[in-house]
């Protein structure tokens, strides 16, 4: 839009658009979104603040089709949605996304997630790996999403900004 | 942990663990994470605040292997990482994740993203679909991630909380 001529193939411009929120949307195989919401509450203490169900399906089916459940977690918002005919391609189209949750108590967080039905994968490591140092463990939830439970990020000596 | 006995199969407990941050981590096929960071800057106005590269690889390879680049976008933080031998399974393990970006100007945002190299998919729709009403467009970025560009969520009449 504001970009009329690009020299040397480089794109250097200031985006003119303001974004007010970023919300990861987790697509869950229908009709498991309600179960997934319950899992995120139990495993991570997420708080559901809103839920939109498909208006036409409520009377026909036992389980409402969740278009979008909005959860507050760690100061952020995530959306949990049942896949549908139209949204199903998103599940396969979207590249693998990992969700990093920072906490001071990695062990307890993983134990909570496992007691709620998650599966711990691998050992807790002292990372030079993802999430910029600190301790990192991995939990896969019953709906296919991978959560990294990390101690809070700290600045590393080896930073190029 | 705090859950000793569960009645009626229901899991009702308050998680004792406090989480301080949630950061979606976008795994990008190495060594394209640097390109992806540039794309998110150009397309969405993301601001890079930190970058950690693999210390051993810097001297050996022309392109540093990005363990984690931290970007601020719409008040949230996302991480962009090159896949590696150890993290590569995450790419296939992680279920498809969609990223919803809210803005008052859906058309301009999509145009910006497309001018930066994204691909608009489908038309802008007035949703009873994802993100709770409003207008929604879809952009797929060059690294496989799907972004929903949405007008800000509003309360719907059909909400079950």
């Amino acid at each position: 839009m504001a970009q009329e001529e690009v020299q040397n193939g480089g794109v250097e411009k200031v985006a003119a658009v303001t974004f007010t929120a970023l919300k990861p949307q987790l697509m869950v195989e229908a009709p498991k979104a309600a179960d997934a919401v319950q899992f995120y509450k139990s495993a991570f203490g997420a708080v559901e603040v809103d839920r939109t169900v498909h208006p036409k399906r409520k009377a026909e089916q036992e389980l409402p089709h969740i278009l979008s459940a909005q959860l507050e977690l760690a100061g952020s918002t995530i959306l949990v949605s049942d896949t549908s005919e139209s949204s199903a391609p998103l599940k396969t189209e979207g590249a693998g996304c990992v969700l990093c949750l920072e906490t001071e108590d990695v062990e307890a967080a993983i134990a909570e997630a496992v007691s709620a039905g998650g599966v711990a994968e691998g050992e807790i490591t002292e990372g030079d790996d993802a999430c910029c140092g600190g301790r990192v463990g991995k939990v896969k939830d019953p709906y296919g999403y991978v959560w990294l439970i990390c101690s809070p990020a700290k600045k590393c000596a080896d930073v190029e900004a």
Side-chain angles (χ1 to χ4, degrees), chain A:
Chain A
M1 299 297 281
Q3 168 197 359
E4 295 184 354
E5 190 172 1
V6 177
Q7 294 182 331
N8 301 326
V11 178
E12 291 294 341
K13 61 193 174 68
V14 176
V17 177
T18 300
F19 295 100
T20 51
L22 171 62
K23 301 174 183 177
Q25 183 182 25
L26 311 190
M27 307 301 299
V28 174
E29 185 187 2
K32 296 182 182 171
D35 292 343
V37 168
Q38 184 57 49
F39 173 82
Y40 297 132
K41 290 180 184 176
S42 300
F44 304 128
V47 176
E48 183 174 0
V49 294
D50 201 3
R51 178 181 294 200
T52 312
V53 299
H54 197 296
K56 294 180 184 172
R57 295 205 183 190
K58 277 169 72 177
E60 300 165 14
Q61 301 187 339
E62 192 173 354
L63 287 173
H65 184 89
I66 295 181
L67 293 170
S68 177
Q70 183 161 327
L71 306 185
E72 302 291 343
L73 174 55
S76 292
T77 300
I78 64 172
L79 305 171
V80 180
S81 302
D82 276 318
T83 54
S84 65
E85 299 74 26
S86 61
S87 64
L90 293 177
K91 187 181 170 75
T92 48
E93 274 179 38
C97 179
V98 177
L99 297 151
C100 294
L101 265 179
E102 291 184 358
T103 180
E104 295 285 353
D105 197 343
V106 173
E107 282 83 0
I110 291 176
E112 287 276 352
V114 169
S115 82
V119 176
E121 301 196 332
E123 301 292 318
I124 295 174
T125 57
E126 296 278 340
D128 68 337
D129 213 31
C131 302
C132 194
R135 312 180 65 241
V136 182
K138 190 162 82 167
V139 174
K140 189 166 182 178
D141 75 30
Y143 311 95
Y145 289 95
V146 174
W147 298 76
L148 291 180
I149 312 295
C150 318
S151 55
K154 49 183 179 248
K155 290 280 181 184
C156 297
D158 181 35
V159 168
E160 290 182 348

Short mmCIF file of all heavy atoms in Angstrom, two decimals, chain A residues 16-80:
data_model
loop_
_atom_site.label_atom_id
_atom_site.label_comp_id
_atom_site.label_asym_id
_atom_site.label_seq_id
_atom_site.Cartn_x
_atom_site.Cartn_y
_atom_site.Cartn_z
N ALA A 16 1.42 0.35 7.92
CA ALA A 16 0.51 1.42 8.29
C ALA A 16 -0.68 0.89 9.09
O ALA A 16 -1.46 1.65 9.63
CB ALA A 16 0.01 2.13 7.04
N VAL A 17 -0.79 -0.39 9.15
CA VAL A 17 -1.95 -1.01 9.80
C VAL A 17 -1.63 -1.28 11.27
O VAL A 17 -0.53 -1.70 11.60
CB VAL A 17 -2.30 -2.33 9.08
CG1 VAL A 17 -3.45 -3.03 9.78
CG2 VAL A 17 -2.64 -2.05 7.63
N THR A 18 -2.60 -1.00 12.11
CA THR A 18 -2.43 -1.29 13.53
C THR A 18 -3.19 -2.56 13.89
O THR A 18 -4.37 -2.71 13.55
CB THR A 18 -2.99 -0.12 14.37
OG1 THR A 18 -2.27 1.05 14.04
CG2 THR A 18 -2.82 -0.43 15.87
N PHE A 19 -2.50 -3.46 14.57
CA PHE A 19 -3.14 -4.69 15.03
C PHE A 19 -3.36 -4.59 16.53
O PHE A 19 -2.48 -4.15 17.27
CB PHE A 19 -2.28 -5.91 14.69
CG PHE A 19 -2.14 -6.14 13.22
CD1 PHE A 19 -0.99 -5.75 12.56
CD2 PHE A 19 -3.16 -6.73 12.50
CE1 PHE A 19 -0.86 -5.96 11.19
CE2 PHE A 19 -3.04 -6.93 11.13
CZ PHE A 19 -1.89 -6.54 10.47
N THR A 20 -4.53 -4.98 16.96
CA THR A 20 -4.90 -4.80 18.36
C THR A 20 -4.82 -6.08 19.18
O THR A 20 -4.83 -6.03 20.40
CB THR A 20 -6.33 -4.24 18.46
OG1 THR A 20 -7.20 -5.05 17.66
CG2 THR A 20 -6.37 -2.81 17.95
N ALA A 21 -4.74 -7.22 18.52
CA ALA A 21 -4.65 -8.47 19.28
C ALA A 21 -4.14 -9.58 18.38
O ALA A 21 -4.41 -9.59 17.17
CB ALA A 21 -6.00 -8.86 19.87
N LEU A 22 -3.43 -10.49 18.98
CA LEU A 22 -2.97 -11.71 18.30
C LEU A 22 -3.44 -12.90 19.14
O LEU A 22 -3.14 -12.99 20.33
CB LEU A 22 -1.45 -11.73 18.19
CG LEU A 22 -0.81 -13.05 17.70
CD1 LEU A 22 -1.28 -13.39 16.29
CD2 LEU A 22 0.70 -12.96 17.75
N LYS A 23 -4.20 -13.77 18.50
CA LYS A 23 -4.77 -14.90 19.23
C LYS A 23 -4.51 -16.20 18.47
O LYS A 23 -5.07 -16.39 17.40
CB LYS A 23 -6.29 -14.71 19.42
CG LYS A 23 -6.66 -13.45 20.17
CD LYS A 23 -8.17 -13.24 20.18
CE LYS A 23 -8.54 -11.94 20.88
NZ LYS A 23 -10.00 -11.68 20.83
N PRO A 24 -3.70 -17.07 19.03
CA PRO A 24 -3.57 -18.38 18.39
C PRO A 24 -4.89 -19.12 18.44
O PRO A 24 -5.57 -19.13 19.47
CB PRO A 24 -2.52 -19.11 19.26
CG PRO A 24 -1.88 -18.05 20.08
CD PRO A 24 -2.89 -16.96 20.25
N GLN A 25 -5.28 -19.69 17.32
CA GLN A 25 -6.52 -20.46 17.26
C GLN A 25 -6.17 -21.94 17.09
O GLN A 25 -5.55 -22.33 16.09
CB GLN A 25 -7.39 -19.99 16.08
CG GLN A 25 -8.73 -20.72 16.01
CD GLN A 25 -9.56 -20.28 14.81
OE1 GLN A 25 -9.00 -19.83 13.80
NE2 GLN A 25 -10.87 -20.42 14.91
N LEU A 26 -6.54 -22.73 18.06
CA LEU A 26 -6.24 -24.16 18.02
C LEU A 26 -7.44 -24.89 17.43
O LEU A 26 -8.54 -24.88 17.99
CB LEU A 26 -5.95 -24.68 19.43
CG LEU A 26 -4.95 -23.88 20.27
CD1 LEU A 26 -4.56 -24.63 21.53
CD2 LEU A 26 -3.70 -23.53 19.48
N MET A 27 -7.23 -25.49 16.28
CA MET A 27 -8.30 -26.24 15.62
C MET A 27 -8.31 -27.66 16.17
O MET A 27 -7.29 -28.34 16.15
CB MET A 27 -8.07 -26.26 14.10
CG MET A 27 -7.87 -24.89 13.46
SD MET A 27 -9.25 -23.74 13.71
CE MET A 27 -10.57 -24.66 12.90
N VAL A 28 -9.47 -28.08 16.62
CA VAL A 28 -9.59 -29.39 17.25
C VAL A 28 -10.63 -30.20 16.46
O VAL A 28 -11.68 -29.66 16.07
CB VAL A 28 -10.03 -29.25 18.72
CG1 VAL A 28 -10.30 -30.61 19.34
CG2 VAL A 28 -8.97 -28.49 19.52
N GLU A 29 -10.32 -31.46 16.24
CA GLU A 29 -11.24 -32.31 15.48
C GLU A 29 -12.61 -32.33 16.16
O GLU A 29 -12.72 -32.69 17.34
CB GLU A 29 -10.67 -33.73 15.42
CG GLU A 29 -11.48 -34.69 14.55
CD GLU A 29 -10.95 -36.12 14.67
OE1 GLU A 29 -10.01 -36.34 15.45
OE2 GLU A 29 -11.49 -37.00 13.99
N ALA A 30 -13.65 -31.93 15.42
CA ALA A 30 -15.00 -31.88 15.98
C ALA A 30 -15.43 -33.27 16.42
O ALA A 30 -15.09 -34.25 15.76
CB ALA A 30 -15.97 -31.32 14.93
N PRO A 31 -16.19 -33.42 17.51
CA PRO A 31 -16.68 -32.34 18.39
C PRO A 31 -15.86 -32.23 19.67
O PRO A 31 -16.42 -32.03 20.74
CB PRO A 31 -18.10 -32.83 18.70
CG PRO A 31 -17.92 -34.33 18.81
CD PRO A 31 -16.77 -34.72 17.88
N LYS A 32 -14.54 -32.34 19.58
CA LYS A 32 -13.72 -32.44 20.78
C LYS A 32 -13.30 -31.10 21.36
O LYS A 32 -12.57 -31.05 22.36
CB LYS A 32 -12.47 -33.27 20.48
CG LYS A 32 -12.77 -34.72 20.13
CD LYS A 32 -11.49 -35.51 19.90
CE LYS A 32 -11.79 -36.95 19.51
NZ LYS A 32 -10.56 -37.67 19.07
N ALA A 33 -13.73 -29.99 20.75
CA ALA A 33 -13.28 -28.68 21.25
C ALA A 33 -13.71 -28.46 22.70
O ALA A 33 -12.96 -27.90 23.50
CB ALA A 33 -13.80 -27.56 20.35
N ALA A 34 -14.93 -28.92 23.04
CA ALA A 34 -15.39 -28.74 24.42
C ALA A 34 -14.47 -29.49 25.39
O ALA A 34 -14.13 -28.99 26.46
CB ALA A 34 -16.83 -29.23 24.56
N ASP A 35 -14.08 -30.71 25.01
CA ASP A 35 -13.14 -31.47 25.84
C ASP A 35 -11.80 -30.75 25.93
O ASP A 35 -11.17 -30.72 26.98
CB ASP A 35 -12.91 -32.87 25.25
CG ASP A 35 -14.15 -33.75 25.34
OD1 ASP A 35 -15.06 -33.41 26.13
OD2 ASP A 35 -14.21 -34.75 24.62
N ALA A 36 -11.37 -30.20 24.81
CA ALA A 36 -10.08 -29.50 24.79
C ALA A 36 -10.11 -28.29 25.73
O ALA A 36 -9.15 -28.04 26.46
CB ALA A 36 -9.73 -29.08 23.37
N VAL A 37 -11.23 -27.57 25.70
CA VAL A 37 -11.36 -26.42 26.60
C VAL A 37 -11.24 -26.88 28.05
O VAL A 37 -10.53 -26.28 28.87
CB VAL A 37 -12.70 -25.69 26.37
CG1 VAL A 37 -12.97 -24.69 27.49
CG2 VAL A 37 -12.68 -24.99 25.01
N GLN A 38 -11.92 -27.98 28.38
CA GLN A 38 -11.85 -28.50 29.74
C GLN A 38 -10.42 -28.90 30.09
O GLN A 38 -9.95 -28.67 31.21
CB GLN A 38 -12.80 -29.69 29.89
CG GLN A 38 -12.88 -30.23 31.31
CD GLN A 38 -13.30 -29.18 32.32
OE1 GLN A 38 -14.28 -28.47 32.11
NE2 GLN A 38 -12.53 -29.04 33.41
N PHE A 39 -9.74 -29.50 29.12
CA PHE A 39 -8.35 -29.88 29.37
C PHE A 39 -7.47 -28.65 29.64
O PHE A 39 -6.68 -28.65 30.58
CB PHE A 39 -7.79 -30.66 28.17
CG PHE A 39 -6.31 -30.93 28.30
CD1 PHE A 39 -5.86 -31.99 29.06
CD2 PHE A 39 -5.38 -30.11 27.68
CE1 PHE A 39 -4.49 -32.24 29.20
CE2 PHE A 39 -4.02 -30.34 27.83
CZ PHE A 39 -3.57 -31.40 28.59
N TYR A 40 -7.62 -27.61 28.86
CA TYR A 40 -6.77 -26.43 29.06
C TYR A 40 -7.08 -25.76 30.40
O TYR A 40 -6.20 -25.17 31.01
CB TYR A 40 -6.90 -25.45 27.87
CG TYR A 40 -6.43 -26.07 26.57
CD1 TYR A 40 -7.20 -25.98 25.42
CD2 TYR A 40 -5.24 -26.77 26.51
CE1 TYR A 40 -6.78 -26.58 24.23
CE2 TYR A 40 -4.81 -27.38 25.33
CZ TYR A 40 -5.59 -27.27 24.20
OH TYR A 40 -5.18 -27.86 23.03
N LYS A 41 -8.33 -25.86 30.84
CA LYS A 41 -8.66 -25.36 32.18
C LYS A 41 -7.95 -26.20 33.24
O LYS A 41 -7.32 -25.66 34.16
CB LYS A 41 -10.18 -25.43 32.41
CG LYS A 41 -11.00 -24.43 31.60
CD LYS A 41 -12.48 -24.63 31.93
CE LYS A 41 -13.38 -23.74 31.10
NZ LYS A 41 -14.81 -24.02 31.37
N SER A 42 -8.07 -27.51 33.13
CA SER A 42 -7.51 -28.39 34.16
C SER A 42 -5.98 -28.39 34.13
O SER A 42 -5.33 -28.39 35.18
CB SER A 42 -8.00 -29.82 33.95
OG SER A 42 -9.40 -29.89 34.03
N ALA A 43 -5.44 -28.42 32.94
CA ALA A 43 -3.99 -28.59 32.81
C ALA A 43 -3.23 -27.30 33.11
O ALA A 43 -2.17 -27.32 33.73
CB ALA A 43 -3.65 -29.06 31.39
N PHE A 44 -3.78 -26.17 32.65
CA PHE A 44 -3.02 -24.93 32.72
C PHE A 44 -3.74 -23.83 33.50
O PHE A 44 -3.22 -22.71 33.62
CB PHE A 44 -2.72 -24.42 31.30
CG PHE A 44 -2.00 -25.42 30.43
CD1 PHE A 44 -2.48 -25.73 29.17
CD2 PHE A 44 -0.84 -26.05 30.87
CE1 PHE A 44 -1.82 -26.65 28.35
CE2 PHE A 44 -0.17 -26.97 30.06
CZ PHE A 44 -0.67 -27.27 28.81
N GLY A 45 -4.94 -24.10 33.99
CA GLY A 45 -5.67 -23.05 34.68
C GLY A 45 -6.23 -21.99 33.76
O GLY A 45 -6.49 -20.86 34.19
N ALA A 46 -6.44 -22.33 32.50
CA ALA A 46 -7.04 -21.36 31.57
C ALA A 46 -8.46 -21.01 32.01
O ALA A 46 -9.14 -21.83 32.64
CB ALA A 46 -7.06 -21.94 30.15
N VAL A 47 -8.89 -19.81 31.70
CA VAL A 47 -10.22 -19.34 32.08
C VAL A 47 -11.01 -19.03 30.82
O VAL A 47 -10.58 -18.23 29.99
CB VAL A 47 -10.13 -18.07 32.96
CG1 VAL A 47 -11.53 -17.52 33.26
CG2 VAL A 47 -9.38 -18.38 34.26
N GLU A 48 -12.15 -19.69 30.68
CA GLU A 48 -12.98 -19.44 29.49
C GLU A 48 -13.77 -18.16 29.69
O GLU A 48 -14.47 -18.01 30.69
CB GLU A 48 -13.92 -20.62 29.26
CG GLU A 48 -14.76 -20.47 28.00
CD GLU A 48 -15.58 -21.71 27.69
OE1 GLU A 48 -15.51 -22.68 28.46
OE2 GLU A 48 -16.31 -21.68 26.69
N VAL A 49 -13.66 -17.25 28.74
CA VAL A 49 -14.35 -15.98 28.87
C VAL A 49 -15.45 -15.81 27.83
O VAL A 49 -16.27 -14.90 27.93
CB VAL A 49 -13.37 -14.79 28.78
CG1 VAL A 49 -12.42 -14.81 29.99
CG2 VAL A 49 -12.58 -14.80 27.49
N ASP A 50 -15.47 -16.66 26.82
CA ASP A 50 -16.48 -16.50 25.78
C ASP A 50 -16.56 -17.81 24.99
O ASP A 50 -15.57 -18.53 24.87
CB ASP A 50 -16.10 -15.35 24.84
CG ASP A 50 -17.31 -14.80 24.09
OD1 ASP A 50 -18.44 -15.27 24.34
OD2 ASP A 50 -17.12 -13.90 23.26
N ARG A 51 -17.75 -18.09 24.49
CA ARG A 51 -17.91 -19.28 23.64
C ARG A 51 -19.00 -18.99 22.62
O ARG A 51 -20.08 -18.52 22.96
CB ARG A 51 -18.29 -20.50 24.47
CG ARG A 51 -18.50 -21.76 23.63
CD ARG A 51 -18.89 -22.97 24.44
NE ARG A 51 -17.82 -23.42 25.32
CZ ARG A 51 -17.76 -24.65 25.84
NH1 ARG A 51 -18.70 -25.53 25.56
NH2 ARG A 51 -16.77 -24.99 26.65
N THR A 52 -18.71 -19.28 21.37
CA THR A 52 -19.68 -19.12 20.30
C THR A 52 -19.92 -20.48 19.67
O THR A 52 -18.98 -21.14 19.24
CB THR A 52 -19.16 -18.15 19.22
OG1 THR A 52 -18.66 -16.98 19.84
CG2 THR A 52 -20.28 -17.77 18.27
N VAL A 53 -21.18 -20.88 19.64
CA VAL A 53 -21.50 -22.17 19.03
C VAL A 53 -22.30 -21.93 17.76
O VAL A 53 -22.86 -20.85 17.53
CB VAL A 53 -22.30 -23.07 20.00
CG1 VAL A 53 -21.48 -23.35 21.24
CG2 VAL A 53 -23.63 -22.43 20.36
N HIS A 54 -22.34 -22.95 16.91
CA HIS A 54 -23.04 -22.82 15.65
C HIS A 54 -24.54 -22.78 15.93
O HIS A 54 -25.09 -23.72 16.49
CB HIS A 54 -22.71 -24.01 14.75
CG HIS A 54 -23.06 -23.79 13.32
ND1 HIS A 54 -24.35 -23.60 12.90
CD2 HIS A 54 -22.29 -23.69 12.21
CE1 HIS A 54 -24.35 -23.40 11.59
NE2 HIS A 54 -23.13 -23.45 11.15
N PRO A 55 -25.21 -21.70 15.54
CA PRO A 55 -26.62 -21.54 15.94
C PRO A 55 -27.53 -22.61 15.34
O PRO A 55 -28.50 -23.02 15.97
CB PRO A 55 -26.99 -20.15 15.42
CG PRO A 55 -25.97 -19.83 14.38
CD PRO A 55 -24.72 -20.55 14.78
N LYS A 56 -27.23 -23.08 14.13
CA LYS A 56 -28.14 -24.02 13.49
C LYS A 56 -27.99 -25.44 14.02
O LYS A 56 -28.87 -26.26 13.84
CB LYS A 56 -27.91 -24.02 11.98
CG LYS A 56 -28.28 -22.71 11.32
CD LYS A 56 -28.05 -22.77 9.82
CE LYS A 56 -28.33 -21.41 9.19
NZ LYS A 56 -27.94 -21.38 7.77
N ARG A 57 -26.84 -25.73 14.60
CA ARG A 57 -26.59 -27.11 14.97
C ARG A 57 -27.09 -27.43 16.38
O ARG A 57 -27.17 -28.59 16.74
CB ARG A 57 -25.09 -27.41 14.91
CG ARG A 57 -24.55 -27.31 13.52
CD ARG A 57 -23.31 -28.17 13.38
NE ARG A 57 -22.73 -28.02 12.05
CZ ARG A 57 -21.77 -28.80 11.60
NH1 ARG A 57 -21.28 -29.75 12.36
NH2 ARG A 57 -21.28 -28.62 10.40
N LYS A 58 -27.37 -26.40 17.15
CA LYS A 58 -27.64 -26.68 18.55
C LYS A 58 -28.83 -27.61 18.75
O LYS A 58 -28.79 -28.47 19.61
CB LYS A 58 -27.88 -25.37 19.30
CG LYS A 58 -26.60 -24.70 19.73
CD LYS A 58 -26.85 -23.31 20.23
CE LYS A 58 -27.51 -23.28 21.57
NZ LYS A 58 -27.66 -21.90 22.06
N ALA A 59 -29.86 -27.40 17.93
CA ALA A 59 -31.06 -28.22 18.14
C ALA A 59 -30.91 -29.61 17.52
O ALA A 59 -31.55 -30.55 17.95
CB ALA A 59 -32.27 -27.52 17.52
N GLU A 60 -30.05 -29.72 16.54
CA GLU A 60 -29.97 -30.97 15.80
C GLU A 60 -29.03 -31.99 16.44
O GLU A 60 -29.24 -33.17 16.36
CB GLU A 60 -29.48 -30.70 14.38
CG GLU A 60 -30.38 -29.77 13.59
CD GLU A 60 -29.66 -29.24 12.35
OE1 GLU A 60 -28.62 -29.80 11.98
OE2 GLU A 60 -30.16 -28.27 11.77
N GLN A 61 -28.01 -31.47 17.05
CA GLN A 61 -26.98 -32.39 17.53
C GLN A 61 -26.85 -32.30 19.05
O GLN A 61 -27.11 -31.28 19.65
CB GLN A 61 -25.63 -32.04 16.90
CG GLN A 61 -25.67 -32.11 15.38
CD GLN A 61 -24.29 -31.93 14.79
OE1 GLN A 61 -23.42 -31.39 15.46
NE2 GLN A 61 -24.11 -32.39 13.58
N GLU A 62 -26.39 -33.39 19.60
CA GLU A 62 -26.25 -33.42 21.04
C GLU A 62 -25.14 -32.48 21.50
O GLU A 62 -25.29 -31.73 22.45
CB GLU A 62 -25.95 -34.85 21.49
CG GLU A 62 -26.06 -35.03 22.98
CD GLU A 62 -25.93 -36.49 23.36
OE1 GLU A 62 -25.86 -37.34 22.45
OE2 GLU A 62 -25.91 -36.79 24.56
N LEU A 63 -24.02 -32.53 20.80
CA LEU A 63 -22.89 -31.69 21.16
C LEU A 63 -22.89 -30.44 20.29
O LEU A 63 -22.82 -30.55 19.07
CB LEU A 63 -21.57 -32.43 20.98
CG LEU A 63 -21.26 -33.52 22.00
CD1 LEU A 63 -20.01 -34.28 21.58
CD2 LEU A 63 -21.08 -32.91 23.38
N PRO A 64 -22.94 -29.26 20.91
CA PRO A 64 -22.87 -28.05 20.09
C PRO A 64 -21.54 -27.98 19.36
O PRO A 64 -20.51 -28.39 19.89
CB PRO A 64 -22.99 -26.91 21.11
CG PRO A 64 -23.40 -27.54 22.40
CD PRO A 64 -23.01 -28.97 22.34
N HIS A 65 -21.58 -27.45 18.15
CA HIS A 65 -20.36 -27.26 17.39
C HIS A 65 -19.74 -25.92 17.81
O HIS A 65 -20.34 -24.87 17.63
CB HIS A 65 -20.70 -27.25 15.89
CG HIS A 65 -19.51 -27.16 15.01
ND1 HIS A 65 -18.83 -28.27 14.57
CD2 HIS A 65 -18.85 -26.10 14.50
CE1 HIS A 65 -17.81 -27.89 13.81
NE2 HIS A 65 -17.81 -26.58 13.76
N ILE A 66 -18.55 -25.97 18.38
CA ILE A 66 -17.93 -24.75 18.90
C ILE A 66 -17.19 -24.03 17.78
O ILE A 66 -16.20 -24.54 17.24
CB ILE A 66 -16.96 -25.09 20.05
CG1 ILE A 66 -17.75 -25.67 21.24
CG2 ILE A 66 -16.18 -23.85 20.47
CD1 ILE A 66 -16.88 -26.02 22.44
N LEU A 67 -17.70 -22.87 17.42
CA LEU A 67 -17.00 -22.05 16.43
C LEU A 67 -15.76 -21.46 17.04
O LEU A 67 -14.71 -21.39 16.43
CB LEU A 67 -17.93 -20.94 15.92
CG LEU A 67 -19.13 -21.41 15.11
CD1 LEU A 67 -20.09 -20.25 14.88
CD2 LEU A 67 -18.67 -21.99 13.78
N SER A 68 -15.90 -21.00 18.29
CA SER A 68 -14.77 -20.35 18.93
C SER A 68 -15.03 -20.25 20.43
O SER A 68 -16.00 -19.64 20.84
CB SER A 68 -14.58 -18.95 18.32
OG SER A 68 -13.52 -18.27 18.96
N ALA A 69 -14.15 -20.87 21.20
CA ALA A 69 -14.14 -20.64 22.64
C ALA A 69 -12.90 -19.81 22.94
O ALA A 69 -11.82 -20.11 22.45
CB ALA A 69 -14.09 -21.96 23.40
N GLN A 70 -13.11 -18.76 23.70
CA GLN A 70 -12.01 -17.83 23.98
C GLN A 70 -11.52 -18.09 25.40
O GLN A 70 -12.29 -18.00 26.36
CB GLN A 70 -12.50 -16.40 23.80
CG GLN A 70 -11.41 -15.35 23.98
CD GLN A 70 -11.79 -14.01 23.37
OE1 GLN A 70 -12.49 -13.95 22.35
NE2 GLN A 70 -11.35 -12.93 23.98
N LEU A 71 -10.24 -18.39 25.52
CA LEU A 71 -9.65 -18.69 26.82
C LEU A 71 -8.55 -17.69 27.16
O LEU A 71 -7.76 -17.34 26.29
CB LEU A 71 -9.04 -20.10 26.83
CG LEU A 71 -9.89 -21.29 26.42
CD1 LEU A 71 -9.12 -22.58 26.63
CD2 LEU A 71 -11.18 -21.32 27.21
N GLU A 72 -8.53 -17.27 28.42
CA GLU A 72 -7.43 -16.45 28.91
C GLU A 72 -6.42 -17.35 29.57
O GLU A 72 -6.77 -18.18 30.43
CB GLU A 72 -7.95 -15.41 29.91
CG GLU A 72 -9.01 -14.48 29.37
CD GLU A 72 -8.49 -13.52 28.32
OE1 GLU A 72 -7.25 -13.34 28.25
OE2 GLU A 72 -9.30 -12.98 27.57
N LEU A 73 -5.16 -17.17 29.18
CA LEU A 73 -4.10 -18.03 29.72
C LEU A 73 -2.80 -17.24 29.73
O LEU A 73 -2.35 -16.77 28.68
CB LEU A 73 -3.96 -19.30 28.86
CG LEU A 73 -2.80 -20.24 29.19
CD1 LEU A 73 -2.82 -20.67 30.64
CD2 LEU A 73 -2.85 -21.45 28.26
N ALA A 74 -2.24 -17.08 30.90
CA ALA A 74 -0.94 -16.43 31.04
C ALA A 74 -0.94 -15.02 30.43
O ALA A 74 0.04 -14.60 29.83
CB ALA A 74 0.16 -17.27 30.39
N GLY A 75 -2.05 -14.32 30.59
CA GLY A 75 -2.14 -12.96 30.08
C GLY A 75 -2.40 -12.87 28.59
O GLY A 75 -2.48 -11.78 28.03
N SER A 76 -2.53 -14.02 27.94
CA SER A 76 -2.83 -14.04 26.51
C SER A 76 -4.20 -14.67 26.27
O SER A 76 -4.82 -15.19 27.20
CB SER A 76 -1.77 -14.86 25.75
OG SER A 76 -0.53 -14.21 25.76
N THR A 77 -4.64 -14.59 25.04
CA THR A 77 -5.91 -15.20 24.66
C THR A 77 -5.66 -16.27 23.63
O THR A 77 -4.92 -16.05 22.67
CB THR A 77 -6.85 -14.13 24.06
OG1 THR A 77 -7.09 -13.12 25.04
CG2 THR A 77 -8.18 -14.74 23.65
N ILE A 78 -6.25 -17.43 23.83
CA ILE A 78 -6.25 -18.45 22.77
C ILE A 78 -7.69 -18.77 22.42
O ILE A 78 -8.60 -18.60 23.21
CB ILE A 78 -5.50 -19.73 23.18
CG1 ILE A 78 -6.18 -20.44 24.36
CG2 ILE A 78 -4.04 -19.44 23.51
CD1 ILE A 78 -5.58 -21.81 24.66
N LEU A 79 -7.87 -19.20 21.18
CA LEU A 79 -9.17 -19.62 20.70
C LEU A 79 -9.12 -21.13 20.45
O LEU A 79 -8.11 -21.64 19.95
CB LEU A 79 -9.53 -18.90 19.39
CG LEU A 79 -9.48 -17.36 19.44
CD1 LEU A 79 -9.63 -16.78 18.03
CD2 LEU A 79 -10.57 -16.82 20.35
N VAL A 80 -10.18 -21.80 20.81
CA VAL A 80 -10.29 -23.24 20.56
C VAL A 80 -11.54 -23.46 19.72
O VAL A 80 -12.62 -23.00 20.09
CB VAL A 80 -10.37 -24.04 21.87
CG1 VAL A 80 -10.49 -25.52 21.59
CG2 VAL A 80 -9.15 -23.75 22.75
#
